[in-house]
Amino acid sequence: MKKRKVAILGATGLVGQRFIQLLENHPYFQISTLAASQNSAGKTYKEAVTWRLNTAMPDSISDMLIEECRPTFHCDYVFSALPSSVAGPIEDMFVNAGYTVFSNAACHRMDANVPLVVPEVNWQHLSLTRYQTTPGVIITNPNCSTVGLVMALKPVADLFGLEEVNVVTMQALSGAGYPGVSSLDIVDNVIPHINGEEQKLTSEPLKILGNYNEHEGAIDFAPFKVYAQCNRVPVVDGHLLSVSVKTKEKVSITALIDAINNFQPLKGFNLPSAPEKPLIYLPQSDAPQPRLHRNLGGGMTVSMGQLVQYSDRSLRFLALVHNTIRGAAGCAILNAEMYEAMNG
């Protein structure tokens, strides 16, 4: 098949670099445009960026000139890695010019007719795009911690229903971008506050795990409650979530572990970025750990562990998500692959 041309907005940041890394040699998509701030526009990518990943900068993009974030690109899809502080009006400009935008920013996630998607959980919500009235469309992926949370909750919700969720996050430094958190703040420390994170974790899962109302072109939000407390910890990559759940029905740990390890809702779609095992249960008493398990499934697998039943209708577990791969660029690319499978 002929590859789709794609542009990356915010290409010099950490998430932008992840997009470039993950799109190298992609069978569906080819990077045709890199865009960033006015300070970087006109420079080659290698001149403008400080490459922070542990793989080499792809030769195919190192000499590519960076353009300004204006809707003048010849491409099929736009991936936005822009920070939420500037993303809204720029993404609107592209959508109003007819582009299909896959956004990692928070600006439009909770808009009524904008899909907020983790494909393994709610790919059906992509159909919301038909109710957008702009010349182009926008599709969003959630906050990086939300991605791990909803993937881990999905088999629990399907088996037993959800009544209440309490989550405490231990979030990696890369989630704050570069240069991020000062070393004098984070070394020998945990920072028990991340601006805006708790609100995202308490609202986004209800949309993602809600039901698509095809007749009204809307999402009926899930009715359970989410309570969150977020912490920044001295880990480079990998958000660890400690989750306690009250369920509607009686819990079976055996059935849940079996559902986790057989969770393959995208198996029939043949999507290049979809891991063979989107969820995996690790039975070891000291798992999951960011350094050991964040790169499972190429960083696209969410690992779970420490599953304990408290009562007939309550349990707890740990979930680990690679925040810049599955929680950011990788999820947006998988959304684009799913959208292409539905509409291509």
Side-chain angles (χ1 to χ4, degrees):
M1 66 176 284
K2 184 179 179 181
K3 289 188 178 184
R4 296 282 196 182
K5 292 183 178 180
V6 302
I8 301 171
L9 309 180
T12 57
L14 278 180
V15 174
Q17 292 178 38
R18 282 293 186 195
F19 273 114
I20 288 168
Q21 181 189 56
L22 296 173
L23 288 169
E24 185 180 17
N25 302 317
H26 193 283
Y28 292 2
F29 307 136
Q30 180 178 2
I31 298 172
S32 61
T33 306
L34 300 176
S37 68
Q38 290 182 338
N39 292 334
S40 298
K43 299 178 182 177
T44 64
Y45 189 73
K46 66 184 177 184
E47 290 172 338
V49 73
T50 301
W51 188 257
R52 295 289 173 185
L53 304 185
N54 60 0
T55 57
M57 182 189 302
D59 292 336
S60 58
I61 60 93
S62 62
D63 291 319
M64 191 176 292
L65 287 179
I66 295 176
E67 300 188 29
E68 290 188 41
C69 295
R70 298 184 179 279
T72 57
F73 309 152
H74 298 289
C75 66
D76 300 290
Y77 295 145
V78 174
F79 291 113
S80 174
L82 294 168
S84 295
S85 58
V86 301
I90 295 174
E91 292 174 356
D92 288 344
M93 187 167 53
F94 276 87
V95 171
N96 288 327
Y99 290 83
T100 300
V101 177
F102 295 89
S103 173
N104 188 67
C107 307
H108 293 292
R109 288 174 185 161
M110 302 305 290
D111 292 359
N113 60 2
V114 173
L116 179 61
V117 178
V118 178
E120 289 91 343
V121 179
N122 66 331
W123 62 265
Q124 299 88 343
H125 290 196
L126 289 168
S127 296
L128 270 180
T129 55
R130 70 183 66 169
Y131 296 96
Q132 294 181 18
T133 58
T134 47
V137 300
I138 184 167
I139 294 159
T140 62
N141 52 278
N143 170 268
C144 43
S145 291
T146 300
V147 173
L149 179 62
V150 297
M151 286 189 66
L153 288 177
K154 177 61 173 173
V156 183
D158 287 348
L159 285 173
F160 317 120
L162 298 174
E163 190 171 286
E164 182 178 300
V165 175
N166 285 270
V167 56
V168 176
T169 70
M170 291 152 276
Q171 296 183 217
L173 294 170
S174 56
Y178 187 87
V181 182
S182 166
S183 62
L184 289 176
D185 289 329
I186 197 63
V187 171
D188 189 33
N189 202 17
V190 171
I191 301 173
H193 173 73
I194 305 173
N195 190 40
E197 290 291 291
E198 289 159 9
Q199 190 276 331
K200 295 169 188 173
L201 271 169
T202 56
S203 60
E204 293 178 3
L206 305 183
K207 182 174 182 179
I208 297 164
L209 289 166
N211 294 317
Y212 172 55
N213 187 326
E214 187 173 2
H215 297 294
E216 297 185 11
I219 302 299
D220 297 327
F221 281 38
F224 63 91
K225 301 290 186 181
V226 184
Y227 303 95
Q229 204 283 312
C230 299
N231 306 275
R232 187 74 71 192
V233 297
V235 171
V236 176
D237 291 312
H239 290 353
L240 188 65
L241 289 71
S242 178
V243 185
S244 297
V245 179
K246 292 182 180 179
T247 62
K248 292 181 178 179
E249 306 294 335
K250 186 175 179 180
V251 169
S252 165
I253 294 295
T254 301
L256 180 54
I257 291 175
D258 185 63
I260 291 167
N261 288 328
N262 291 284
F263 183 71
Q264 294 180 307
L266 302 182
K267 188 174 182 179
F269 288 105
N270 192 31
L271 307 180
S273 297
E276 182 179 354
K277 288 185 174 291
L279 284 178
I280 188 168
Y281 184 73
L282 303 173
Q284 302 95 316
S285 61
D286 61 351
Q289 297 181 30
R291 189 170 63 186
L292 299 180
H293 304 117
R294 62 193 170 207
N295 290 315
L296 293 176
M300 291 292 284
T301 293
V302 172
S303 52
M304 298 174 64
Q306 305 287 329
L307 185 56
V308 175
Q309 184 173 353
Y310 285 137
S311 69
D312 282 352
R313 297 191 300 112
S314 63
L315 55 87
R316 71 162 171 84
F317 57 83
L318 292 179
L320 174 68
V321 58
H322 195 304
N323 52 294
T324 62
I325 300 180
R326 167 53 88 164
C331 190
I333 293 169
L334 187 58
N335 281 346
E337 293 171 1
M338 189 73 233
Y339 183 78
E340 178 77 7
M342 293 173 64
N343 299 285

